[in-house]
Amino acid sequence: MLPGTAPAGAAPAEAVIVLVCNGPGELATWVRPLARRLHRDVPLRPLAPAAAIDLQLVLVPCPNATGSEAQVARRMGLFSRVLPAERFWWLLLRPRRHGPWPDHGVVVFLGGDQFWTVLLSWRLGYRHLTYAEWVVRWPRWNDRIAAMGPQAAGRLARRWRPRCEVVGDLMADLSESARSDAPLPPGEWVALMPGSKRAKLQVGVPFLLDTADRLRAQRPGCRFLLPVAPTTSVEELLRYGGPSNPLQSSYSQGAPELREAAGARWLETPAGTLIRLVEEQPAHGALSQCVLALTTVGANTAELGALAVPMLVLVPTQHLHVMQAWDGWLGLLARLPLLSWLLGVALTAWRMRNRGYLAWPNISAGRLVVPERVGAITPAEIAAEALDWLEHPQRLEGVREDLRSLRGQPGAVAALSRLVRELLPAPRTAP
């Protein structure tokens, strides 16, 4: 059986909801919450095996994907079928090769290139809904449009606006799911978030371990946690923190070791700093209890913003030859064979000189809400800045309030679920 195909012998469904996604950030913060809400609102396979509607996930090609998104999605247990990105073109060419497709369905865009969902909905003959953060690129081919805010809705031509409804920011609902039944041990917790892609981990893991050592030396009561991204592993973190990582020698010497204590696993640095590993997904409960986060750029800045966790956003540019985890055509060009090193350095340096805001709270607000530290920064500098923030809790609370004001009201996931269900055919009634 091909990867992503439905189990043999399954009864045919009357309709299907197909969620479309590209990378790990969208999978964790958009797809998972919506899938859970849909299961809550209407009986769906696979959680309701006798239901008449399937919930499926299709992953689309993306240069920023890790390649493990399909495995992560299957572990969620929310989808009757998960189609990996490498099978997407085959799906367009030969849909029936991947199992039966009901006559009725809805394709929902939740990340990637919006054109892929246009193609998919056309090929399958299904209705089409786009969740748009900033712009709707193909309104003509959408039956409904769910806009994050008035900015995306206002960019639509007047003729397409009746199709659009402002539902709000899906990230705003993270605060509702962050109520943890397992509070962290008492202490001043700082989150370390090196990213989930190889290029970011190679720099971020040794950089943040060194930073944690220096911060603990100046503030011994400080405690650290590191959420393990679903697309990476503890073994990878150990490897990136050790001598097999060529960048590790630029930071503290020696490799971290894995420890188990108090019902959790910990990384212990050669300097003796303990870092609690948060392996449950999502890690919102633990993150929401942190007073500060040290993070790379990416979807994690949106998660932290939604949880109202103050952060320092870090882009150490002294390793430009490996910092090629950029979005769009720049990232694609930086991966060209033979020229990748030289081109990656040139493109990344150009982007650093001509950048706008990098953290999602700053992009959303159009101003600097959380600090962004870009350049040849050092762990010593970041530890000193983090110490200054921790010594001024009123400043941290001010940032927290700014983030809360940007977050918006919860309810976007429920509104998007409603729009999806409105596009489904009416259920059959018994004769």
Side-chain angles (χ1 to χ4, degrees):
M1 185 167 62
L2 291 171
T5 54
E14 296 178 10
V16 60
I17 300 170
V18 183
L19 306 185
V20 176
C21 179
N22 59 333
E26 293 81 1
L27 189 63
T29 59
W30 288 0
V31 171
R32 188 204 309 259
L34 178 60
R36 286 179 170 174
R37 181 71 195 205
L38 286 167
H39 277 293
R40 172 181 164 184
D41 291 343
V42 64
L44 297 174
R45 302 177 186 181
L47 299 190
I53 304 174
D54 264 339
L55 181 62
Q56 303 186 15
L57 176 70
V58 170
L59 296 163
V60 293
C62 176
N64 299 300
T66 65
S68 59
E69 285 80 7
Q71 181 181 0
V72 171
R74 291 188 185 104
R75 288 202 299 264
M76 293 179 185
L78 299 170
F79 307 101
S80 59
R81 176 164 53 186
V82 175
L83 192 93
E86 60 267 22
R87 302 300 307 176
F88 180 71
W89 298 113
W90 287 108
L91 172 61
L92 292 179
L93 290 172
R94 299 176 62 184
R96 299 295 172 187
R97 192 181 182 191
H98 295 85
W101 292 92
D103 292 335
H104 304 286
V106 182
V107 175
V108 184
F109 171 82
L110 290 171
D113 190 321
Q114 294 180 21
F115 189 60
W116 301 148
T117 52
V118 170
L119 285 178
L120 184 59
S121 61
W122 168 80
R123 185 68 178 88
L124 297 176
Y126 290 169
R127 307 187 80 180
H128 185 201
L129 185 152
T130 291
Y131 176 69
E133 282 188 289
W134 311 113
V135 63
V136 185
R137 303 194 182 280
W138 309 96
R140 177 189 300 272
W141 307 108
N142 279 270
D143 294 280
R144 294 299 302 273
I145 298 163
M148 183 180 74
Q151 182 177 7
R155 289 179 173 176
L156 284 169
R158 186 178 301 275
R159 64 186 296 191
W160 308 122
R161 289 180 187 175
R163 302 183 183 184
C164 180
E165 179 177 328
V166 176
V167 299
D169 189 346
L170 295 179
M171 301 289 286
D173 287 50
L174 293 188
S175 59
E176 297 296 307
S177 64
R179 298 171 183 169
S180 178
D181 294 327
L184 293 171
E188 187 178 58
W189 289 91
V190 174
L192 308 176
M193 303 186 72
S196 59
K197 303 181 181 76
R198 179 183 181 276
K200 292 181 180 180
L201 291 167
Q202 193 174 0
V203 179
V205 171
F207 187 100
L208 289 178
L209 294 185
D210 193 351
T211 303
D213 282 339
R214 296 173 184 274
L215 182 55
R216 183 181 68 92
Q218 300 175 73
R219 197 172 178 88
C222 193
R223 311 188 72 175
F224 302 93
L225 63 81
L226 194 160
V228 182
T231 50
T232 186
S233 66
V234 174
E235 291 70 29
E236 281 189 299
L237 295 176
L238 289 168
R239 186 167 67 252
Y240 285 118
S244 62
N245 179 359
L247 301 186
Q248 190 267 348
S249 60
S250 301
Y251 301 97
S252 57
Q253 299 300 310
E257 296 184 359
L258 187 62
R259 300 277 187 253
E260 294 193 23
R265 295 206 289 178
W266 306 71
L267 290 184
E268 183 177 5
T269 70
T273 301
L274 288 172
I275 300 168
R276 184 185 180 110
L277 297 171
V278 181
E279 299 181 69
E280 60 269 17
Q281 297 295 331
H284 302 149
L287 283 173
S288 65
Q289 300 173 63
C290 293
V291 297
L292 180 67
L294 308 179
T295 179
T296 185
V297 294
N300 44 358
T301 64
E303 287 185 80
L304 291 168
L307 296 170
V309 177
M311 69 194 87
L312 298 181
V313 182
L314 314 176
V315 184
T317 60
Q318 59 265 40
H319 306 294
L320 286 176
H321 60 290
V322 298
M323 290 302 292
Q324 299 172 16
W326 303 115
D327 300 333
W329 64 272
L330 292 179
L332 288 173
L333 289 178
R335 292 172 179 81
L336 286 176
L338 302 179
L339 296 177
S340 62
W341 186 87
L342 180 61
L343 192 57
V345 170
L347 287 172
T348 307
W350 174 85
R351 179 164 176 170
M352 287 297 96
R353 289 195 303 269
N354 298 275
R355 67 184 180 90
Y357 294 121
L358 299 175
W360 279 107
N362 297 341
I363 295 171
S364 179
R367 59 185 175 86
L368 200 64
V369 177
V370 298
E372 297 179 359
R373 298 296 173 247
V374 181
I377 55 178
T378 67
E381 293 170 345
I382 298 306
E385 183 170 0
L387 176 65
D388 185 59
W389 280 96
L390 294 173
E391 289 178 341
H392 296 86
Q394 71 280 4
R395 290 173 58 201
L396 288 174
E397 185 56 32
V399 174
R400 194 179 296 272
E401 287 301 320
D402 279 348
L403 293 173
R404 289 194 185 106
S405 68
L406 288 173
R407 185 174 60 198
Q409 295 298 317
V413 174
L416 185 56
S417 172
R418 172 178 52 79
L419 290 180
V420 173
R421 290 181 283 116
E422 287 175 358
L423 292 177
L424 289 170
R428 294 181 182 177
T429 57

